[in-house]
Amino acid sequence: MRFARITLGLLLALVGVLVTLAGAVVAFWLVGPDNTVDTGEQRLASKGLAVMTAPDLLDRHGPTLHVTASASKPVFVGIGQDLDAASYLSASEYSRVVRFDVPVSFDTQEMKGGQTPLAPPAGLDWWRVKAAGPGEQTISWEIADGRYDVVVMNADRSPGVAARITFGVELAGAFRTCLLVLGIGVVLLVVGLVLILFRRRNQSAPPVPVTANAAPQMPYTPPTYEKQGQVRRYAGVATGVVLLLAATGCVAVPEKNTSQSLSRPAVTLADGKTVVARYNEINNKANQARDAKLSETIEGDPTLAQTRAGYRIDGTLDAARKNKIKPFTYTKPQIGAPEFSSYPMRFVVSSGVSDDPDSQQLGVWQRQNAGTPWVLTHSVYPGATTKLPSMEGLRTPAKADMAKLSTLPQTAGNDLATYLSAGVKSPKAALFVPSPGTVSLLGQRAKSKVADAKEDYISTVTDTFRPSGEPVTFITATGEALVFLTLTEQYLQNVEPGSNAYWTSGAATAFSSFVKYTQSLHQDYLHQVAVLIPPKGPAAKTRILSLDGQLVGAGGS
């Protein structure tokens, strides 16, 4: 019994010493009262434009990550989804932290690329958290399930990053858990020492009458069941301690990442509205100054091409700048943000127009990569009474979605061009439900053809529409396809032999003025169209939501 007690006592004391030391070291040296385990200040440098961690290093979620960075010059530090951060630095030289070893050792990989200055990182909207400026910059972020990177770079985007960085992970309840472990270690140590040092008093045997003929008596031995009970109690205490250690040790362990999704919505609703607000502000400034360069920061083709042409025409017809475009804004924007797994990304906005209660605006914003701004590429103006699809649940098309449509977007573009070229009598007209603007345009072109053909110097007139570029397609929550098309139109007047013709007034003079042509005159238009293609059905027709054109050129031969 004594040997068993001492053996168990030694074992508990040894375990108690180890647990006490481990709890004390972890609680007061590694974790601390702030529940944060950190790497201490580490120096990370790159000849390139940034230092970025690989997404595999943030492979658990739940705890809060703290990153502190400082350098001799103003520094930027941010955390973003790998989809965005990798796109932002894709063409740049930078250093990638690919491995972290205990106690503190980082392995880096040099990523080749150029050193062309990137877009200012602080102005990008996809960072989860960010900080920039001189001195020490600190960010904190509750790690989410997914693939995320930490990026550190010079705030001025210059190459040659040399930063002092501290990474810390805040584990809720870690310090309390460590103190509990320390306390359990002390208890084990005390119990072990008691078992080792405790000596039981010898129990006296009851007096036995001595007779002359009595046989000698054996010493008194306590019942066996008492020894078994003590061993069970010791074993129970040890088992309970082990279970408590396991339970408390698991409290602060973060969960392993399980999300396999590599996609995300193009924007949040708040960021989408911020993009529209920025467009409103800059667009009005550009319109007042007829500044196409400024428009390039917020628009892309085909919308930018129409804007440039409009400024050129306005500059010709209103050289004195007496007529300026009245400022307007897109009001109450409704955001449709499909998910994307790569760039370019797009989102759709349906809004009102502040200076025109009779119309709406339907537009597509696109970002080519993570380092470029959002620009308005497609923009049409349906009438206020036109029913537009809901922006909720808007998504990019899958093959299964396309197979359910009554016609493919590219086919719809070709059929629409045929319909507009031939007019209302075209066989393709039966495939569409025209918008009021479409009916008006076809009526105007029919009248122009009749009037121009009566001119002595005009022999024939043709009007030809052609699809241009690829359709931009989204699938609505109801399974319809919202498609944005671009069409070119050439209105051609053939000149009678022996005659000549030229423009002396009107919008065409912005592109060709008083130049005499002997064979033909042409006016070139760029049209943006939004259509809604329904699923297959016996009476399925493509609905034209809006058709908006702009003269973009004129000339002849």
Side-chain angles (χ1 to χ4, degrees), residues 401-407 475-476 478-481 532-542:
D401 295 315
M402 304 296 275
K404 296 177 183 178
L405 298 177
S406 60
T407 186
I475 302 298
T476 70
T478 59
E480 297 173 299
L532 204 59
I533 302 176
K536 293 177 181 177
K541 289 187 177 183
T542 298

Side-chain angles (χ1 to χ4, degrees), residues 38-282:
D38 66 55
T39 62
E41 187 175 89
Q42 305 297 315
R43 294 183 178 272
L44 290 174
S46 174
K47 295 184 297 182
L49 297 176
V51 175
M52 184 176 83
T53 62
D56 293 340
L57 295 184
L58 298 179
D59 62 348
R60 293 182 180 272
H61 63 278
T64 299
L65 176 66
H66 301 280
V67 183
T68 300
S70 60
S72 58
K73 57 174 65 177
V75 67
F76 170 87
V77 56
I79 298 175
Q81 196 163 347
D82 183 62
L83 167 64
D84 302 300
S87 173
Y88 180 56
L89 296 173
S90 60
S92 303
E93 179 182 359
Y94 66 96
S95 295
R96 187 177 179 93
V97 180
V98 296
R99 184 177 177 182
F100 171 72
D101 293 321
V102 177
V104 181
S105 176
F106 292 101
D107 290 339
T108 60
Q109 178 183 6
E110 298 304 313
M111 309 299 290
K112 295 182 179 180
Q115 294 191 346
T116 302
L118 300 167
L124 300 172
D125 57 15
W126 44 261
W127 298 106
R128 291 297 189 266
V129 288
K130 60 186 176 182
E136 189 174 272
Q137 300 297 316
T138 300
I139 57 175
S140 299
W141 177 63
E142 185 176 327
I143 304 174
D145 190 356
R147 296 172 60 83
Y148 292 90
D149 307 317
V150 180
V151 177
V152 178
M153 55 192 297
N154 295 328
D156 62 2
R157 300 162 287 155
S158 61
V161 180
R164 299 178 296 278
I165 306 174
T166 301
F167 295 93
V169 177
E170 181 182 342
L171 301 168
F175 183 66
R176 182 176 64 251
T177 299
C178 293
L179 291 180
L180 182 58
V181 171
L182 186 152
I184 291 171
V186 172
V187 172
L188 290 175
L189 176 60
V190 171
V191 172
L193 291 177
V194 169
L195 291 176
I196 294 171
L197 300 177
F198 176 71
R199 294 176 177 272
R200 294 189 60 184
R201 291 181 301 172
N202 292 329
Q203 297 186 15
S204 301
V208 179
V210 179
T211 61
N213 298 324
Q217 299 294 318
M218 298 297 292
Y220 172 76
T221 302
T224 303
Y225 72 84
E226 292 186 7
K227 296 180 183 179
Q228 295 173 344
Q230 290 176 349
V231 172
R232 289 194 186 98
R233 284 196 295 273
Y234 296 147
V237 171
T239 302
V241 169
V242 171
L243 292 175
L244 185 59
L245 282 171
T248 55
C250 291
V251 167
V253 176
E255 297 182 23
K256 192 79 173 178
N257 286 350
T258 58
S259 174
Q260 301 298 319
S261 175
L262 299 179
S263 63
R264 67 165 178 84
V267 289
T268 64
L269 298 182
D271 286 341
K273 292 179 179 179
T274 299
V275 171
V276 175
R278 176 177 177 269
Y279 178 87
N280 288 336
E281 178 184 358
I282 297 179

Side-chain angles (χ1 to χ4, degrees), residues 321-336:
R321 292 182 175 271
K322 293 182 179 180
N323 299 317
K324 293 187 177 181
I325 300 175
K326 182 181 177 181
F328 69 93
T329 59
Y330 296 143
T331 61
K332 299 180 180 179
Q334 301 297 312
I335 311 297

Side-chain angles (χ1 to χ4, degrees), residues 437-518:
T438 305
V439 174
S440 176
L441 174 66
L442 291 175
Q444 291 174 4
R445 292 296 188 264
K447 291 180 181 179
S448 296
K449 287 181 181 180
V450 172
D452 290 343
K454 291 180 179 180
E455 296 290 343
D456 294 338
Y457 62 92
I458 300 297
S459 61
T460 58
V461 179
T462 59
D463 189 23
T464 305
F465 289 77
R466 292 186 176 88
S468 176
E470 294 294 323
V472 176
T473 305
F474 304 91
I475 302 298
T476 70
T478 59
E480 297 173 299
L482 174 60
V483 182
F484 293 85
L485 303 168
T486 304
L487 303 177
T488 62
E489 176 194 5
Q490 185 175 74
Y491 188 83
L492 181 66
Q493 300 165 306
N494 293 304
V495 179
E496 286 282 2
S499 300
N500 58 63
Y502 53 90
W503 283 285
T504 59
S505 62
T509 58
F511 307 99
S512 178
S513 180
F514 290 100
V515 177
K516 295 183 179 181
Y517 301 102
T518 59

